Amino acid sequence: MVRANTVSIQTLRRLPLYLHYLKSVRGALPRISATVLADALGFNDVQVRKDLGSVSGNGRPKKGYETEELIADLELYLGCDSRTPAVLIGAGNLGRALLSYGGFSDYGLEIVAAFDSSDAVVGTTAGKKTVMGMDKLRTICEENGVRLGIITVPAAGAQSACDKLVECGVKAIWNFAPTTLKVPHGVLVENENLASSLAVLSKHLTGEDTGA
Amino acid sequence: MVRANTVSIQTLRRLPLYLHYLKSVRGALPRISATVLADALGFNDVQVRKDLGSVSGNGRPKKGYETEELIADLELYLGCDSRTPAVLIGAGNLGRALLSYGGFSDYGLEIVAAFDSSDAVVGTTAGKKTVMGMDKLRTICEENGVRLGIITVPAAGAQSACDKLVECGVKAIWNFAPTTLKVPHGVLVENENLASSLAVLSKHLTGEDTGA
């Protein structure tokens, strides 16, 4: 029984890890159990069994899953076969890295264009794409049916970039700027706050009790 | 009263956001209240008041905080004035981006060297640094007292890179590889899983109920 529509955000975040691991062992392990997968990834096996059961109906008691079947079920659920066109705003170091990073295509993400408000950056090439001025944003979003936007501008310009994306019909925003964004109902923002992660790591090194 | 040693991970993750925002308004707002800060960042004001109270003793009922005092308290708590030497393993696109990204220095992070296992990459320059072979890792870590390691290698090589870092005395690992890492007690791993974030965004666009 597949209960895809009741998958929690927490489960959803773990699914790509399962998929990535399964692909790495597909040749060696024709079958795999939730317990083996849990052990390999350092997760609780009850949780893994529950996660897999929510996206695949092919698990067998005691026998586990056919690795290829489970990979197919995960790819289908995660929409790896479908294509998600996206635009990126902010062609600085991080923006250029994401543009040239190939890993996202495994998950269907295709960054169709990059934009920047700086005349010094517009016209330069990043990841085989020519950075465009913000005035081109609406046209590109409409022509490509873009509903996902990636923000890699400095914090001060993040809300403005976010507002422009929303005006162009974007419904999901991946925010790498170290600030929170205000969006209308129905628009999802996923914050990738590197500074917060760094704070946790640095504090661990100072020996503070962070209540971890 | 400062209760820095009882700050939770969740609070710790929010502190850099407060600091970043306060720096952006330091000229315009000589004083700021937890309520104003909460509104600006979209947080619950009770939570913000609690967060600030845990790292600064300078808040006044009704009056709030002197902006500069609060910035100083946050910088002190986050160790922005101290220097955290780090090494990075994996000089691919993401690794190179982190090497050339200036934003981390605001938080005391200094990536002293970059390493890669590929002969094709060793010797190339990334962010004004020459990428070194893995055989140099121990010496560099010892010479610089490195206890923080950043992993930007493909998942298949992540555990090996992690083990080498731990062998060299690293106590905190920032993992950008889409896999979980096994480390001994006392070593903290902070996972930066971009694929998981992407899964959440993509699923939102497909209109699934992710129980958000």
Side-chain angles (χ1 to χ4, degrees), chain A residues 13 20 77 155 180 196 203, chain B residues 13 20 41 77 155 180 196 203:
Chain A
R13 290 187 192 283
H20 188 93
Y77 184 77
T180 51
S196 294
K203 189 53 65 178
Chain B
R13 290 187 192 283
H20 188 92
L41 294 176
Y77 184 76
T180 52
S196 295
K203 190 52 66 177

Side-chain angles (χ1 to χ4, degrees), chain B residues 16-180:
Chain B
L17 298 179
Y18 300 144
L19 177 57
H20 188 92
Y21 179 78
L22 290 168
K23 283 180 167 179
S24 72
V25 299
R26 69 197 309 172
L29 301 176
R31 300 192 65 87
I32 188 164
S33 68
T35 308
V36 170
L37 191 53
D39 183 54
L41 294 176
F43 294 157
N44 171 291
D45 70 335
V46 174
Q47 183 65 67
V48 173
R49 189 167 291 106
K50 186 163 171 288
D51 288 347
L52 299 182
S54 66
V55 296
S56 173
N58 296 317
R60 308 278 162 69
K62 300 268 194 306
K63 292 187 172 179
Y65 291 83
E66 298 277 352
T67 306
E68 291 302 329
E69 276 186 348
L70 187 51
I71 287 174
D73 289 338
L74 283 165
E75 288 184 330
L76 178 65
Y77 184 76
L78 290 171
C80 299
D81 52 342
S82 67
R83 175 179 165 280
T84 304
V87 290
L88 179 145
I89 299 183
N93 292 321
L94 187 57
R96 288 173 182 278
L98 296 180
L99 285 166
S100 51
Y101 179 57
F104 298 142
S105 58
D106 295 347
Y107 300 92
L109 177 70
E110 185 192 340
I111 302 176
V112 296
F115 301 85
D116 202 287
S117 56
S118 162
D119 294 341
V121 178
V122 173
T124 61
T125 304
K128 295 175 185 167
K129 291 187 170 49
T130 301
V131 180
M132 293 185 259
M134 294 300 291
D135 57 313
K136 303 283 198 315
L137 183 63
R138 181 178 297 276
T139 310
I140 296 294
C141 286
E142 288 173 355
E143 287 176 354
N144 296 275
V146 171
R147 291 188 300 151
L148 175 60
I150 304 171
I151 295 178
T152 49
V153 301
Q159 186 61 56
S160 166
C162 173
D163 295 343
K164 290 187 175 69
L165 287 168
V166 171
E167 286 167 18
C168 295
V170 163
K171 298 297 183 191
I173 292 173
W174 201 357
N175 177 40
F176 286 82
T179 185
T180 52

Side-chain angles (χ1 to χ4, degrees), chain A residues 4-10 12-17 20-21 39-43 76-79 82 84-85 93-94 96-98 100-102 104 107-109 147-149 154-156 171-174 176-182 186-206 208-212, chain B residues 4-10 12-17 20-21 24 39-43 76-79 82 84-85 93-94 97-98 100-102 104 107-109 147-149 154-156 171-174 176-182 186-206 208-212:
Chain A
N5 63 339
T6 62
V7 164
S8 72
I9 287 277
Q10 293 68 31
L12 188 50
R13 290 187 192 283
R14 286 187 290 267
L15 299 181
L17 298 180
H20 188 93
Y21 179 78
D39 183 56
L41 294 176
F43 293 157
L76 178 65
Y77 184 77
L78 290 172
S82 68
T84 304
N93 292 321
L94 187 57
R96 288 171 183 279
L98 296 181
S100 50
Y101 179 57
F104 297 141
Y107 300 94
L109 178 69
R147 291 187 300 150
L148 174 60
K171 298 298 183 191
I173 292 173
W174 201 357
F176 286 82
T179 185
T180 51
L181 299 172
K182 294 182 174 134
V187 176
L188 177 71
V189 174
E190 179 77 3
N191 292 301
E192 212 66 60
N193 202 319
L194 302 179
S196 294
S197 303
L198 188 52
V200 172
L201 291 162
S202 300
K203 189 53 65 178
H204 172 74
L205 292 177
T206 65
E208 296 273 3
D209 168 19
T210 53
Chain B
N5 63 338
T6 62
V7 165
S8 71
I9 287 276
Q10 293 68 29
L12 188 49
R13 290 187 192 283
R14 286 187 289 268
L15 298 181
L17 298 179
H20 188 92
Y21 179 78
S24 72
D39 183 54
L41 294 176
F43 294 157
L76 178 65
Y77 184 76
L78 290 171
S82 67
T84 304
N93 292 321
L94 187 57
L98 296 180
S100 51
Y101 179 57
F104 298 142
Y107 300 92
L109 177 70
R147 291 188 300 151
L148 175 60
K171 298 297 183 191
I173 292 173
W174 201 357
F176 286 82
T179 185
T180 52
L181 299 172
K182 294 181 174 135
V187 176
L188 177 70
V189 175
E190 179 77 2
N191 292 302
E192 212 66 59
N193 201 319
L194 302 179
S196 295
S197 302
L198 188 53
V200 172
L201 291 162
S202 300
K203 190 52 66 177
H204 172 73
L205 292 177
T206 64
E208 295 271 5
D209 168 19
T210 53

